[in-house]
């Protein structure tokens, strides 16, 4: 059974800047949840000093440098926490800093102290992150005050008689605020609360964007380090692409030599024997029938070979139609879900097709699975691909089975390749491809 999600003509626009948007509320909750992590380094430095000062009445200043030393040694852990937080809550991928070998040794500590990356990370944890935590607290306060004031009419009647939020309590303020005394105070508070709720999503998005930019600038590699890393990665992916192309060429040569070429040689030999032997009508009819079958088999093998390279349906109708054909030809049931509102570039589309096709082929050959599932979705500028099965597991790229070639294909377009296949299954293959190329 094959299930395919229809291909849509264009992306659906959703407005996340309204107070009733679940995305706006979710982003506010993510900001609030990140406050403890943003204050962690400052807490390590100041809380012991404040606690001893409160208990003894003295200023234990040596504790501050000690806290800074602790933060220095824990900077990698703190950075990892923020990288995971931003990836999980905001979808922001921050590349990891190059690891310093033997970081706890004297040489490693000196190398870390001389590294600009270390001081950028310390600047984020001790300065930028606490400032962002204060901004997040302000945003949470705007949400709470907006809710409190916007719905003041719903609960003002429950307040004590002397409370200014209670209805019709503005009469006592007539002597001081004559222009506004004609309306109850809770009406003005309601209008102010609605205004705060209208501004809260925009403030939330602004603080979230500032958090992501500060993290990219201070926790990620610098421009020079990023370019150096990219050059190294391009050199690796170029070598991988060359190896993958050579392996593909060898596979094509093997398939042509062992399959199509043998059938064409057999066809030529039969026709040559028929031409030299002068057979009668019955023998000629049989030779022609056998030659016809050989020609059809050769055409079928050529068609399958071309389809494996770049099927015409992929170029004409996109991934959903092309992958539906691949899934339909598999001997086990495949559940296929394709959600690609906008087609990626032809190169990325071809890599995605090859990944799914080769993944399903490996499942049919090696997994001993009873069913498989394929999920393809484009989210913003990324194409996510998940291929899973309920087979025996144990898939390892180091042992071949085409997985190493899939990793090289994904890396050739700056994509990522991950596989989880414990013994006994199930197997989960995840590929993430950029759509900006």
């Amino acid at each position: 059974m094959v299930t395919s999600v229809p291909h849509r003509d264009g992306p659906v626009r959703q407005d996340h800047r309204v107070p009733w948007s679940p995305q706006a509320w979710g982003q506010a909750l993510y900001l609030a949840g990140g406050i403890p992590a943003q204050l962690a380094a400052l807490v390590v430095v100041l809380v012991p000093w404040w606690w001893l000062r409160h208990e003894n009445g003295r200023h234990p200043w040596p504790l501050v440098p000690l806290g800074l030393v602790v933060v220095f040694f824990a900077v990698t852990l703190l950075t990892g926490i923020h990288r995971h937080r931003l990836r999980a809550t905001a979808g922001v991928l921050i590349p990891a800093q190059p690891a310093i070998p033997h970081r706890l040794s004297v040489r490693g500590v000196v190398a870390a102290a001389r590294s600009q990356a270390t001081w950028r990370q310390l600047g984020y944890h001790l300065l930028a992150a606490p400032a962002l935590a204060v901004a997040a607290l302000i945003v949470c306060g705007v949400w709470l005050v907006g809710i409190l004031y916007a719905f003041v009419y719903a609960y003002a009647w429950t307040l004590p008689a002397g409370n200014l939020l209670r209805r019709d309590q503005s009469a006592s303020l007539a002597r001081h605020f004559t222009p506004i005394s004609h309306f109850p105070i809770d009406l003005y508070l309601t209008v102010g609360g609605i205004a705060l709720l209208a501004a809260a999503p925009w403030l939330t998005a602004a603080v979230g964007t500032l958090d992501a930019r500060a993290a990219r600038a201070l926790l990620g590699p610098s421009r020079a380090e990023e370019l150096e890393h990219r050059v190294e990665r391009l050199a690796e992916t170029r070598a991988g692409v060359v190896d993958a192309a050579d392996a593909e060429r060898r596979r094509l040569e093997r398939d042509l030599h062992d399959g199509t070429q043998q059938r064409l040689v057999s066809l030529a030999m039969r026709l040559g024997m028929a031409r030299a032997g002068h057979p009668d009508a019955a023998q000629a009819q049989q030779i022609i029938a056998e030659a016809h079958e050989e020609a059809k088999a050769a055409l079928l093998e050529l068609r399958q070979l071309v389809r494996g390279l770049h099927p015409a349906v992929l170029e004409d109708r996109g991934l959903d139609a092309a992958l539906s054909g691949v899934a339909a030809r598999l001997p086990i049931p495949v559940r296929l879900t394709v959600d690609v509102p906008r087609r990626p570039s032809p190169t990325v589309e071809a890599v995605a097709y090859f990944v799914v096709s080769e993944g399903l082929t490996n499942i049919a050959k090696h997994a001993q699975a009873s069913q498989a599932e394929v999920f393809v979705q484009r989210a913003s500028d990324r194409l996510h691909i998940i291929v899973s099965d309920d087979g025996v597991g144990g898939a390892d790229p180091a042992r071949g089975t085409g997985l190493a070639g899939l990793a090289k294909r994904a890396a050739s377009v700056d994509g990522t390749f991950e596989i989880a296949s414990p013994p006994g299954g199930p197997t989960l293959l995840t590929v993430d491809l950029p759509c900006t190329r």
Side-chain angles (χ1 to χ4, degrees):
M1 180 180 67
V2 178
T3 304
S4 178
V5 173
H7 184 87
R8 296 194 295 268
D9 294 332
V12 178
R13 183 179 182 272
Q14 296 181 353
D15 195 351
H16 305 329
R17 299 294 185 266
V18 290
W20 56 84
S21 169
Q23 288 80 5
W25 282 88
Q27 192 174 18
L29 292 176
Y30 288 147
L31 286 180
I35 291 175
Q38 292 169 332
L39 294 177
L42 204 61
V43 167
V44 170
V45 174
L46 296 181
V47 166
W49 169 82
W50 176 84
W51 183 77
L52 287 179
R53 179 180 177 275
H54 179 72
E55 292 292 327
N56 302 331
R58 293 181 297 179
H59 297 277
W61 291 111
L63 288 179
V64 175
L66 181 61
L68 292 175
V69 171
V70 173
V71 172
F72 175 83
F73 281 99
V75 67
T76 303
L77 174 62
L78 293 172
T79 299
I81 292 174
H82 284 287
R83 290 178 61 244
H84 183 272
R85 173 179 68 87
L86 291 170
R87 182 173 68 251
T89 61
V92 177
L93 300 177
I94 300 177
Q97 296 283 359
I100 297 177
H102 308 291
R103 186 180 179 86
L104 298 180
S105 65
V106 175
R107 182 178 298 178
V109 171
V110 173
R114 291 179 176 178
S115 173
Q116 295 182 1
T118 302
W119 293 104
R120 288 202 312 271
Q121 294 174 69
L122 289 174
Y124 177 86
H125 297 308
L126 295 174
L127 298 175
L132 290 167
V134 172
L137 285 172
I138 293 174
V139 169
C140 294
V142 170
W143 278 101
L144 293 176
V145 173
I147 295 172
L148 179 67
Y149 285 168
F151 297 97
V152 68
Y153 260 98
Y155 60 85
W157 62 275
T158 64
L159 300 175
N163 196 299
L164 289 178
L165 295 182
R166 187 175 172 86
R167 295 191 186 191
D168 302 327
Q169 292 298 314
S170 59
S172 61
L173 302 178
R175 294 173 297 175
H176 304 286
F177 302 100
T178 303
I180 67 172
S181 62
H182 301 290
F183 301 96
I185 290 297
D186 47 351
L187 177 62
Y188 293 99
L189 294 179
T190 301
V191 174
I194 294 174
L196 288 177
L197 282 180
W202 296 91
L203 293 176
T204 303
V207 174
T209 302
L210 186 62
D211 186 13
R213 290 182 177 178
R216 281 197 186 101
L218 298 177
L219 299 183
S222 63
R223 181 64 176 170
E225 293 171 343
E226 187 176 357
L227 289 176
E228 181 180 357
H229 175 71
R230 184 168 179 80
V231 169
E232 294 176 355
R233 180 171 177 79
L234 286 175
E236 294 176 358
T237 55
R238 178 182 177 275
V241 170
V242 171
D243 293 341
D246 184 66
E248 186 73 9
R249 177 183 62 81
R250 293 177 182 273
R251 184 184 70 84
L252 291 175
E253 291 177 350
R254 183 178 64 252
D255 291 346
L256 289 173
H257 180 271
D258 297 341
T260 308
Q261 181 177 345
Q262 294 296 330
R263 293 189 180 279
L264 292 177
V265 168
S266 175
L267 174 62
M269 290 178 61
R270 290 178 184 276
L271 295 177
M273 292 172 60
R275 181 179 180 182
H278 302 289
D280 54 23
Q283 292 177 337
Q285 186 71 20
Q286 182 180 0
I287 293 174
I288 292 174
E290 293 175 352
H292 182 231
E293 293 299 325
E294 290 287 348
K296 289 196 299 182
L299 287 175
L300 178 60
E301 291 185 357
L302 282 175
R303 190 179 299 113
Q304 292 176 347
L305 188 64
V306 172
R307 185 185 294 117
L309 294 176
H310 191 86
V313 67
L314 176 64
E315 185 173 351
D316 296 338
R317 299 174 56 189
L319 278 173
D320 48 358
L323 295 182
S324 296
V326 174
R329 292 192 297 270
L330 216 66
I332 62 175
V334 179
R335 181 181 179 184
L336 174 66
T337 303
V338 180
D339 184 10
V340 185
R342 292 180 295 114
R343 294 181 63 175
S345 66
T347 302
V348 172
E349 203 171 48
V351 171
Y353 173 83
F354 183 84
V355 165
V356 175
S357 178
E358 187 68 16
L360 291 178
T361 301
N362 287 336
I363 291 174
K365 289 182 178 180
H366 310 289
Q368 302 177 24
S370 61
Q371 61 180 0
E373 184 172 359
V374 177
F375 178 79
V376 181
Q377 181 187 44
R378 176 168 183 171
S380 185
D381 60 345
R382 310 292 295 184
L383 186 66
H384 307 291
I385 303 171
I386 300 176
V387 181
S388 60
D389 65 79
D390 60 351
V392 297
D396 185 3
R399 296 186 305 174
T401 67
L403 296 177
L406 294 184
K408 292 176 181 179
R409 288 268 186 163
S412 67
V413 291
D414 290 340
T416 60
F417 174 90
E418 297 179 359
I419 183 169
S421 182
T427 298
L428 183 67
L429 186 151
T430 305
V431 178
D432 190 49
L433 305 176
C435 298
T436 56
R437 295 172 65 90

